[in-house]
Amino acid sequence: MDDRATGRRSNPLRRKADRTRTRLHAAFAVACLIAVVCGVAVGRAAWSDSSRAAESAARHRHDVPAVTVGPTTYRAGDEPDGTPVTVAPATWRYPADRAHTDTLPVPVGTRQGDTVRVRVDDSGNPAGTPPGTVEIGLDAFGLGTGALTGVLLVSGLLVRLGLRIVDARSSRAWETEWEGVEPLWSGRLRPGQGADDG
């Protein structure tokens, strides 16, 4: 079998610039694989860390009864549209020897003296609900996608820069070669060449 067909002998028609372009494209293909691996690794790490943090936070959250001690009012909610929520001052005890009073979100129709539930931390202060599986998954997906995109962008810019450099060098080399070949090919006299010059 011909050595050229098996790749053991280089093609004489392939220039150095062509081989460099091939290497750059191969490097970008490898970078794509690395980007996928990085994205998956970052996403998995974010999922594991967030899941452990949520489980740890859940162990330090406690639902306790609270008694409203005033009338209900309204305030802007945490949602982007600012939908008003019903709130009322309430008091509770947690731990058993420590009393707390704060304004809490309460169901519509709650009256003074009603009992509501409040989620608190180990010190008895109001605490939010740890993120759920969906929220953790979305965050992990976003971080993984960001890592993948970042690697692709950086590698793509580097490869594009390399290709531009190769193209610029090829263009200069072609112009230099053409300056020597074109007068012979077209019969045009080169600068400084007389009619009797060979």
Side-chain angles (χ1 to χ4, degrees):
M1 181 178 293
D2 187 5
D3 288 344
R4 187 181 303 168
T6 60
R8 290 194 294 268
R9 185 157 60 92
S10 60
N11 187 342
L13 297 179
R14 282 176 60 83
R15 299 170 299 172
K16 181 179 179 180
D18 297 327
R19 293 191 293 271
T20 302
R21 290 189 185 94
T22 299
R23 294 190 189 101
L24 288 172
H25 286 119
F28 183 69
V30 173
C32 290
L33 294 177
I34 294 175
V36 172
V37 172
C38 288
V40 172
V42 170
R44 286 176 62 88
W47 171 273
S48 298
D49 291 345
S50 297
S51 296
R52 284 195 297 268
E55 291 172 0
S56 177
R59 290 194 293 269
H60 299 279
R61 297 292 185 268
H62 315 278
D63 285 332
V64 298
V67 178
T68 57
V69 293
T72 58
T73 55
Y74 295 91
R75 73 179 182 195
D78 297 330
E79 299 298 327
D81 59 2
T83 302
V85 296
T86 307
V87 296
T91 183
W92 66 93
R93 302 186 72 86
Y94 192 90
D97 60 346
R98 185 179 302 175
H100 301 268
T101 300
D102 201 350
T103 300
L104 307 174
V106 296
V108 176
T110 299
R111 297 172 298 180
Q112 184 173 345
D114 286 351
T115 298
V116 295
R117 305 295 297 184
V118 57
R119 179 162 294 181
V120 299
D121 57 21
D122 291 337
S123 299
N125 299 313
T129 302
T133 302
V134 174
E135 186 176 353
I136 292 173
L138 290 175
D139 288 343
F141 178 79
L143 290 172
T145 302
L148 183 150
T149 303
V151 174
L152 286 180
L153 285 176
V154 172
S155 59
L157 289 174
L158 291 176
V159 169
R160 183 173 182 180
L161 177 61
L163 290 173
R164 288 175 66 90
I165 292 173
V166 171
D167 289 342
R169 290 176 178 173
S170 296
S171 179
R172 289 194 298 269
W174 183 88
E175 290 176 357
T176 300
E177 294 173 0
W178 181 247
E179 287 178 358
V181 173
E182 190 270 340
L184 299 177
W185 174 77
S186 64
R188 180 176 60 84
L189 295 179
R190 286 174 291 183
Q193 183 182 18
D196 296 332
D197 294 339

